[in-house]
Amino acid sequence: MSLKRSNKLGQILLDEGLVTEDDLRRALQAQGQDNKRLGELLIDLGILSPLAMISALARQLNIKGCQLRHGLIDPAVAQLLDREEAARLKALPLFKVGETVTVAMAEPQSLPTIDRLSALTRCRINPVLALESNIVEFQEKYLGEQVDIDSFLVNLTESEVRVVERETVDEDVSHEISRMIDGSPIVNLVNLAIMTAIRDGASDIHVEPTKRFTRIRYRIDGSLRELMSPPTSMHAAVVSRIKVIGKMDIAERRLPQEGRVHVVAEGREIDLRLSSMPTLLGEKIVLRILDKSNLHVSLEKLGVKPDRLVAFRRIFSQPHGIVLVTGPTGSGKTTTLYSVLDLLTTPEKNIVTIEDPVEYQLDEINQIQVSEVIGMTFARALRSILRQDPDVIMVGEIRDADTARVAIQAALTGHLVLSTLHTNNAPGAFIRLADMGIERYLLASAFNGVIAQRLARTICPYCRTSYFPPESALADAGWEGETNRVFYKGEGCKQCHDSGFRGRAGIYEILEVTDELRQCVHHAEHEEEIKAVARRHGWRALREEGLILVEEARSTLEEVLRVTHAETETRTRAELGSRN
């Protein structure tokens, strides 16, 4: 007598030849003595492997399934559920992409459970099927009192991990990081580091060897923070994996190398610029995260004050002339110029850039990579570009007098030239170029304006509190408002990694070159003379612009003092020199 095939799961297993009728009969008999589910009994009896069972269940329910493992689970996302709630719902959050959390569930077809998860996490839920025993195992590991990802990394093995019935990704086009791909724990570790850094808005990832472990840190809001510390034995494999995705030579460990990779994470296109450097203990890798969404930012969001927007737009809207953006490394100069290029790009304009290196790859713009080795310098590339009928030229940086002279000549012959220069403030750009040997009459004729900028950390909105700064800080800042007023700062919380800051805002010192200022640039010997004339036309120094952020309760007095410190030192030295 044949078995009556009324069980849908049993029918699927029989049709696919995964079990025999005798196997199924034996499991059903055991189910009469035990309340376990059929799938669990088939696994307990050794008839089916967990992977085969989850695949069959996924087909039965017409939903994706997975087998949980380290690297697939983001510990921070797992903590969205407390242990009791996760146990009751038989669920475990895995990772977050945008506002959607992928959750492993024993009952992914339960709409009330999904609604409850959505309410608890305040996110959309993407359910995937997992065995209840597998979920319970990882709940114990990830939802304990103290969760330390480093302790998991020590025990990682090279076991194969699969995500059942998922879409495939063409790696020749992009590495889809948001989908956790099959592979070794090393791949998962690198993916997790990249995803965490992108999610938290980091600008760089540092992978560096030490005697005791590999230190992985990321830079967020200008400061390096510890991310994870896998064992030293994994360092070579981690470095090799990063080199592979960056198309670098994994066999070369004695010389510095550079690479690039394009990834898609959280629905955003991200370029990663990779750099390797040999050190005494092994190779150090730095990944620069270049988020293309930063190129479509409004001027207001960049930090330009409403009363200065007109001058900002006027400076960059001229058909010819030169505009410089100045500031130290890491102050956001390149991002500002790229954002301006995005605004200037039209089918009617031929825009060419000369960069070292090319950071963002832009559409509809001709980008040239400088290579000193073959003699492709900024000045040489700029001379060649002038024969390419350009409308707008961006020079990554003016490093020497030759480049400066060619750039100014291009501005005087009908081209709009944008570039960067390392000076502490906007008026100092004229003095710096004059010191390079550029004639003052050329500077006076060519310039549309100079913009100096800094990036100041903004107060974390989750832990903002009021306080009264010391009088010495008010005096150092040149505060001219009420001294007994309330100021604000962040106390430090989980959302801001206990720093008190979350995000950064631009501080822009905008110097528009007027007719009176042209005369001053032509004849002035000192920076202070240029400042005096600029003030009559609405110019404000970096420190003054920064104090507006303090008045708006967006940043702290101490932070503004920190980022505008160099500008103050320069001003003090100039004042002392003029007195002597």
Side-chain angles (χ1 to χ4, degrees), residues 380-425:
R380 183 172 181 178
L382 189 49
R383 289 190 183 96
S384 297
I385 286 173
L386 293 176
R387 294 189 285 272
Q388 292 282 315
D389 187 30
D391 295 298
V392 180
I393 304 170
M394 189 191 93
V395 182
E397 182 183 349
I398 292 181
R399 297 178 179 173
D400 51 51
D402 196 15
T403 305
R405 189 171 295 280
V406 178
I408 288 174
Q409 288 172 351
L412 290 171
T413 53
H415 306 90
L416 178 61
V417 180
L418 315 178
S419 190
T420 69
L421 187 68
H422 287 287
T423 62
N424 288 323
N425 53 38

Side-chain angles (χ1 to χ4, degrees), residues 551-563:
E551 289 182 18
E552 295 172 346
R554 295 181 61 199
S555 191
T556 68
L557 196 64
E558 291 80 4
E559 175 67 5
V560 169
L561 283 170
R562 182 184 70 83
V563 298

Side-chain angles (χ1 to χ4, degrees), residues 7-18:
N7 187 291
K8 191 175 181 182
L9 175 61
Q11 183 66 55
I12 291 174
L13 297 173
L14 284 171
D15 291 344
E16 296 187 359
L18 295 173

Side-chain angles (χ1 to χ4, degrees), residues 94 128 310 578:
L94 302 180
V128 295
V310 175
S578 63

